[in-house]
Amino acid sequence: KAAAFAQQKTIRNIIIPNSIKSIGDFAFAYSAVQEIIILDGMTEIGDYAFYYCEDLKSIVIPDSVQSLGDYAFENCPELESIHIPYGVTRIGAHTFMYCQFESIVIPETVTTIGEQAFQHTGLIDVILPEGVTTIEFRAFSDCKNLQKVSLPNSLHTIGYASFSNCKNLSGNLVIPNSVIEIGSYAFSQCTILHGTLTLSNQLTKIS
């Protein structure tokens, strides 16, 4: 059920058939896989499924997948891009931490960006879709290439240090009127952030 191919160092390419509905926790963790094709029918990718797959460059995830586990792709630095299926509602904790892709399309079904989900990634622009209500602890912190953030009108909470230490974040920053709370250090150490800061008129707390 778990860690079936963990630390496997000789398999480079994997095709997962449509008979398989879930990938268990740690299934391919620390392996040397480079390319993965998941056929339609898969519904769940477990926690730590591809954790520390440092050679992984390409993965095809079908729209049948509804759940991406915590730490699922943490520290896959060669991963060039990834498709988040429509229907996923939460980007889990640490899911893409240390991945270096420059862009990501987040579907409008997502409501929560989990803690440290995109920390230390190579993202340049972040556009969060309508439907996202919560950005958790350090979700986008330490993204040194991040230049622009667009926040949706559905957003309620910007968590602790969500965008801290994003040293290239610049331009005007608009906090939508739906936001009621901004956590401590949310935009701290964003040293070139300049222009106009527009705050939500519904804010009840700035930590």
Side-chain angles (χ1 to χ4, degrees):
K1 185 178 178 179
F5 294 95
Q7 301 185 55
Q8 217 292 332
K9 300 299 184 183
T10 57
I11 296 175
R12 298 289 185 265
N13 302 291
I14 300 171
I15 298 176
I16 298 176
N18 56 16
S19 59
I20 296 177
K21 304 306 180 186
S22 66
I23 298 175
D25 298 349
F26 292 96
F28 296 94
Y30 300 102
S31 71
V33 63
Q34 295 179 354
E35 181 179 9
I36 301 168
I37 297 174
I38 303 173
L39 299 182
D40 195 50
M42 176 76 63
T43 60
E44 179 184 5
I45 295 176
D47 296 344
Y48 299 90
F50 300 98
Y51 184 69
Y52 269 73
C53 289
E54 295 179 300
D55 297 324
L56 182 61
K57 294 181 179 180
S58 173
I59 183 167
V60 176
I61 301 176
D63 283 334
S64 57
V65 171
Q66 302 292 297
S67 176
L68 298 177
D70 295 345
Y71 299 82
F73 296 95
E74 180 173 336
N75 206 44
C76 297
E78 297 299 316
L79 193 59
E80 296 169 354
S81 64
I82 196 161
H83 167 66
I84 299 175
Y86 187 91
V88 170
T89 59
R90 182 178 187 272
I91 310 298
H94 292 243
T95 299
F96 299 109
M97 189 175 180
Y98 291 112
C99 292
Q100 294 306 304
F101 45 71
E102 295 181 349
S103 63
I104 190 82
V105 176
I106 298 173
E108 61 188 20
T109 53
V110 170
T111 61
T112 302
I113 310 296
E115 63 181 59
Q116 297 175 273
F118 294 97
Q119 187 176 11
H120 290 290
T121 58
L123 290 171
I124 294 175
D125 292 337
V126 169
I127 300 174
L128 296 179
E130 294 299 329
V132 172
T133 61
T134 305
I135 303 172
E136 294 185 351
F137 172 90
R138 292 192 180 277
F140 295 94
S141 69
D142 302 293
C143 292
K144 300 299 177 63
N145 298 325
L146 186 60
Q147 299 175 16
K148 184 179 179 182
V149 173
S150 179
L151 302 174
N153 291 319
S154 55
L155 189 63
H156 296 159
T157 304
I158 301 174
Y160 178 98
S162 293
F163 296 93
S164 66
N165 203 34
C166 292
K167 293 189 179 299
N168 279 304
L169 187 61
S170 62
N172 298 328
L173 179 62
V174 177
I175 307 297
N177 284 333
S178 56
V179 173
I180 59 175
E181 181 176 350
I182 300 175
S184 301
Y185 305 101
F187 295 92
S188 72
Q189 298 181 37
C190 296
T191 52
I192 65 169
L193 188 61
H194 65 278
T196 302
L197 171 62
T198 304
L199 292 173
S200 164
N201 58 21
Q202 301 298 315
L203 269 174
T204 60
K205 182 178 181 181
I206 299 178
S207 295

